[in-house]
Structure formats: structure tokens, C-alpha cells
Amino acid sequence: MQDVIAPGLKVLFCGINPSVYSAVVRHHFARPGNRFWPALYASGFTDRLLAPHEQGELLVRGYGITNVVEEASVAADSLTARDYAEGGRKLDAKVRRYQPRYLAVLGIGAWRTAFGKPKALLGLQPELLADTRVWVLPNPSGLNAHYRPADLARMFRELRLAVEAGG
């Protein structure tokens, strides 16, 4: 699936990997029940609720989308440690090439596994990836029942406020 990306973004949102549904329709976070787009809107990243087919509108706002692992799967739990490690190397190269201010990894397990950070917590990470700040958010998949929509909105808002503060 093609990234939504450009040099110098404010935030590059990074999913774990595309769902089969998203790969078929060729739009990120397109599976019904995915809470990415509602979380962007509820947190103030967008002024209206965007539909997955409007993903290109993120670029004019300074945001983009990529994935740790490029290959689609029915569920992220089918990915191997090797998939994550290879995806992490590719993501590192992508961040170095496009130099976003923030990389927002949407899934703590993906960040921990792809970058060897087993004790990482949600939020701003203490280390940079190249010159990019890393912020880890929960996976917005509807399958992730640990976080309610209001929780996701609050956590996405924390990132937005940090970005707007120039941090």
C-alpha cells in the first residue's frame, strides 16, 4: 500500500501494518471500526472527520501515514519478530529520508519489537530516530479494546499539543 508521505511533515503516523481490507481498498485505516480517523478529528488534528479515501488531505495539514510492516494481514498478531525487525529497518530509512518532526507509532508492541525497546511506554520516547522525535500511541484498531475512543482522543491530543508547542 502506498504511503501518504512528503519531506518535512509535522507528524508521520505509523500503523503496524495494513489490514487486508485497507490493502484491497488502498486506503490506510479503512477497515470499518478502525478508530484512527475519529481519533484524529476528536483530538483536533483535523477540523472534520475525514474518511479513509480522503487520506491525501493529511499532507496539506503536514501529516502523513506509513506502516512498520508493509504487507497486509488479517491481524497484526500474525506478524513475526523478523517482520517487525525488517520493518523497523525500512522505517528508520524512511524517517531519515523524509525527516518528519515526529514519528507517531500506533502500537506499543510494534515499537517495542521493531526497535528493540521492550520496556518502552506510551507517549514521548526518550530517544530520537535519526533527528525525529518518537511518540507512541495505542493501536486505534477496533480490535484493541483496551482503549476507549475518549482515551484515544486524549492521547492523540497530547501529541497534537506537543507538536503545536514546537516541542
Side-chain angles (χ1 to χ4, degrees):
M1 185 149 63
Q2 192 167 10
D3 289 336
V4 177
I5 197 165
L9 295 170
K10 291 186 264 186
V11 181
L12 178 59
F13 291 97
C14 181
I16 298 171
N17 76 311
S19 68
V20 172
Y21 183 89
S22 287
V24 169
V25 300
R26 302 172 75 170
H27 301 299
H28 293 272
F29 304 104
R31 185 175 180 188
N34 192 294
R35 300 169 299 168
F36 175 76
W37 299 103
L40 279 187
Y41 174 60
S43 64
F45 273 107
T46 60
D47 56 358
R48 65 180 179 85
L49 180 58
L50 296 176
H53 71 272
E54 297 176 293
Q55 65 188 15
E57 291 193 26
L58 290 179
L59 290 176
V60 299
R61 293 170 166 85
Y63 312 125
I65 304 174
T66 190
N67 290 289
V68 175
V69 177
E70 297 171 359
E71 293 77 29
S73 67
V74 173
D77 61 6
S78 66
L79 300 174
T80 66
R82 185 177 184 175
D83 294 330
Y84 281 111
E86 182 181 326
R89 286 189 295 277
K90 290 179 180 179
L91 181 58
D92 180 76
K94 199 174 294 185
V95 166
R96 289 176 188 282
R97 177 178 178 196
Y98 288 98
Q99 302 177 355
R101 283 182 38 215
Y102 282 88
L103 173 69
V105 179
L106 305 176
I108 187 75
W111 171 250
R112 287 174 176 167
T113 305
F115 290 93
K117 306 289 182 190
K119 296 183 181 188
L121 302 174
L122 293 171
L124 182 64
Q125 301 304 296
E127 60 276 315
L128 300 174
L129 187 58
D131 292 326
T132 296
R133 291 178 182 95
V134 177
W135 197 289
V136 179
L137 292 164
N139 178 357
S141 168
L143 302 174
N144 181 3
H146 299 297
Y147 295 92
R148 297 173 304 141
D151 298 326
L152 288 174
R154 177 182 49 78
M155 297 172 96
F156 273 61
R157 186 176 304 110
E158 290 171 4
L159 169 59
R160 181 183 59 80
L161 293 173
V163 171
E164 289 177 357

